Amino acid sequence: MKLIKNTLNLINYNLNFISRIQDFKIGLSFLIFLSLILSFILSLPLLYLLFKLTFGINLFIDFIFNFKIFTLAMNTMLLVILVVFFAILISLPLAFLNVRSNIPVAKHLTSISVLPIALPSYVMATTQIELWGPRGLFYDLLNKIFGIDKIPSFYGLSGSVFVLSLITYPYIYIGLCAMFRRFDYQMIDASKTLGSSNLQTFRKIVFPLVKPTIASGSLLVALYVLSDFGAISLLRFNTFTTAIFNRMYSSIGNYGVLEISTLAIFFCFFILFLESRTRNNARHFSNSSGFKIKKADLGIWRWILFPIVLIPPVLGFLLPVSVLIYWLIQGMQNDNSFTNIISSTINTISISLVTSLIVTIFSIPIILVIRKKIKFLSSIIEKSCYIGLSLPGIVVGMSLVFFSINYFDMIYQTYIILILAYLISFLPAVITPIRSTLTQIDPKLEEASFTLGKGKISTFYNIIVKLSTPGFIYGAILVFILCLKELPATLILSPVGFRTLATSIWGSASEAFFMDTAAASLILVIIAGIPSYLFMSNDLSRKITL
């Protein structure tokens, strides 16, 4: 809690400093200049790909019209669409029931339901395969009780959608919980008084208010799925990411790696276009303070819906953690010994904490320039921020290795280049929730502030900064968790001898040290789960807004 408050104070200090220069031309020019520098850094993976493709544009055109590439594109698109759909399907009713209904122990369920975000995709996939795979625990149970000797395959598209949906639904769920806390229930009462049905009320009142939050969360989900390698590789489903990794390690001269990576960026821009169209049409605000939350009385349905509400956290957190504990106990019974993971834990916490602070602070000038809505410039800067998140960490790592060796060799294999990779990959995790928070701030609040005689600086700080603080905190926590789980970029760019929990898990799993894998995974889940749980259980976003 103290750490989060210190982070808040640091963010507020930087926001206050920048707000004091925003009314001057030199201040705006400085923000634009700083944002352009950051955009250039964030665009390094794209510049790297374009530089490498310059000498073979004809081959590139022939390559992308290959039938196998078309199949990869269809697989990738189908996976993204299905995961986004199921993530929304899980998070929307879950958030509403936990926050705005009298479901039993809703306060605890609100926090527990976010915990699947703490598991890395490769850990989630491994544990789910152990549960539902061809020779998993579920198969053994059915075989012993019913004599069933064959079950549907868990591998492929179905397993990938199942695993990735469980990991990614919290990206939408957290924002929806915050939205429903601020939601003015009197609007629903007014709609019903006017004769609208429940379906009409949802379509006309509820959905327009939650749509910006769903769109922002879906953007993070889509880009996460686009760049994920751990889960889909273990579940044997071919997408752009698996093709990039396979060609990098099996083909001569890395044939096709750059071309497929460029296609992944095209997909990223297409997703950004769809999200921006949704966002541009959303102009709905809720001014409810959230102090007195009216909860829907479900009657007898609260006990019928209660076990359904438990399904996502049970499948996405409780069962995977149980598998890890089982592996840990089995390993201890076999007299295996732990490798030293203390240093890996310290390294992981340190680099993730430092990165989350740096990324959050660096997002401030970009957010301010985007909010200014400078023609073309704001749009270009905003879209450049999302390039890194759409690419596998290995492509980001390759681009930084190329630029550091050729132009900045003094930072090669240092902490600077590792933090730079995290900045490129995870800056959207800060920008998206902040932008979503800003869309919920009613412009009338600024007008009221001016009417009361407040200046632009005071209005900006007291209205924009303070009301968007929950978005900054959520973004910082999200970056912290993503840094904890990042594997490919860490393997490529980390200094010699620098190990994190993610690399320890990878190394132990590769050498079949399952007890060490389970121990490192459990520590990582605990470290990632604590800030997520505290953020939700203490309703911190609402308290800080005050």
Side-chain angles (χ1 to χ4, degrees), residues 210-222:
V210 301
K211 185 167 66 172
T213 302
I214 292 177
S216 297
S218 298
L219 174 62
L220 285 179
V221 172

Side-chain angles (χ1 to χ4, degrees), residues 183-338:
F183 190 82
D184 191 351
Y185 204 87
Q186 293 178 353
M187 292 187 293
I188 296 180
D189 291 338
S191 176
K192 291 182 178 179
T193 301
L194 294 173
S196 298
S197 65
N198 290 331
L199 181 60
Q200 290 174 326
T201 300
F202 177 82
R203 182 172 59 85
K204 295 180 179 180
I205 304 297
V206 179
F207 185 72
L209 283 169
V210 301
K211 185 167 66 172
T213 302
I214 292 177
S216 297
S218 298
L219 174 62
L220 285 179
V221 172
L223 296 181
Y224 183 97
V225 174
L226 192 61
S227 65
D228 181 74
F229 171 73
I232 56 177
S233 63
L234 291 171
L235 292 164
R236 305 171 191 172
F237 186 68
N238 292 324
T239 63
F240 282 150
T241 308
T242 54
I244 291 170
F245 275 77
N246 292 336
R247 288 175 180 271
M248 181 167 290
Y249 290 107
S250 62
S251 63
I252 300 175
N254 295 336
Y255 174 71
V257 170
L258 302 175
E259 289 80 2
I260 298 175
S261 300
T262 306
L263 289 177
I265 291 181
F266 289 159
F267 265 61
C268 168
F269 287 146
F270 178 68
I271 293 170
L272 288 172
F273 170 76
L274 294 179
E275 190 271 343
S276 65
R277 295 290 296 177
T278 302
R279 174 165 37 95
N280 288 339
N281 293 327
R283 293 294 183 267
H284 306 276
F285 310 99
S286 174
N287 295 324
S288 176
S289 62
F291 289 113
K292 297 180 181 179
I293 299 178
K294 181 180 178 180
K295 295 193 175 184
D297 186 2
L298 301 177
I300 190 63
W301 281 96
R302 65 196 293 253
W303 299 107
I304 299 174
L305 294 173
F306 178 65
I308 299 177
V309 171
L310 288 175
I311 292 176
V314 168
L315 291 178
F317 184 77
L318 182 60
L319 288 180
V321 169
S322 300
V323 172
L324 294 175
I325 294 174
Y326 171 77
W327 285 347
L328 185 63
I329 294 174
Q330 288 293 107
M332 294 174 66
Q333 291 177 348
N334 293 332
D335 296 327
N336 289 332
S337 58
F338 289 105

Side-chain angles (χ1 to χ4, degrees), residues 341-351 498-499 501 527:
I341 59 174
I342 296 177
S343 60
S344 298
T345 303
I346 295 174
N347 292 340
T348 302
I349 295 175
S350 301
I351 195 69
F498 183 81
R499 288 174 61 90
L501 288 172
I527 296 172

Side-chain angles (χ1 to χ4, degrees), residues 18 49 110 154 226 272 302 315 353 367 439 466 495 536:
I18 294 177
L49 295 174
T110 302
F154 186 70
L226 192 61
L272 288 172
R302 65 196 293 253
L315 291 178
L353 182 59
I367 288 293
T439 62
K466 288 188 175 180
M536 299 299 291

